[in-house]
Amino acid sequence: MDWLRMSSRRHKGWTVVEVSGELDVATRNQLGDHLEEVIAAHTPARVVLDMSQLDFCDASGLSVLVAAHHAAKDVRASFAWYARSGASGASCRSRS
């Protein structure tokens, strides 16, 4: 069973990485490795992580976002993410 599903596509000069399922200690490396590849593949990289379909994210999953932010900053890339929050469907956003 795939606990984390990912897909990537290009949109208006950005690479959009869409994730669904669960982002936790068991799946963080899967997403981290994929984000590293995406950031390295384009110069300058412009990456947005769409977590709107994510069912669960723990602290280890959040550490992947911090690592991706730093990796992007190190190569002067743009990294943004968004996700829904709670039952209200409100979103939270970050951008570097």
Side-chain angles (χ1 to χ4, degrees):
M1 174 186 255
D2 290 333
W3 294 105
L4 183 69
R5 292 166 302 284
M6 295 180 296
S7 64
S8 298
R9 62 184 171 85
R10 297 284 293 168
H11 180 72
K12 296 184 179 182
W14 286 79
T15 301
V16 179
V17 178
E18 298 169 319
V19 294
S20 61
E22 298 181 5
L23 179 55
D24 58 20
V25 69
T27 60
R28 68 180 178 193
N29 290 340
Q30 182 182 354
L31 179 59
D33 293 347
H34 184 71
L35 289 174
E36 284 181 16
E37 291 172 11
V38 169
I39 290 168
H42 303 282
T43 305
R46 294 174 27 165
V47 179
V48 63
L49 177 61
D50 177 355
M51 300 186 344
S52 63
Q53 298 302 310
L54 206 58
D55 297 322
F56 177 81
C57 180
D58 70 4
S60 62
L62 293 176
S63 71
V64 173
L65 303 181
V66 173
H69 166 82
H70 289 294
K73 188 176 178 183
D74 288 346
V75 295
R76 294 190 168 100
S78 297
F79 176 74
W81 62 270
Y82 64 93
R84 63 191 163 127
S85 175
S88 68
S91 63
C92 51
R93 303 174 197 273
S94 174
R95 184 175 181 139
S96 61

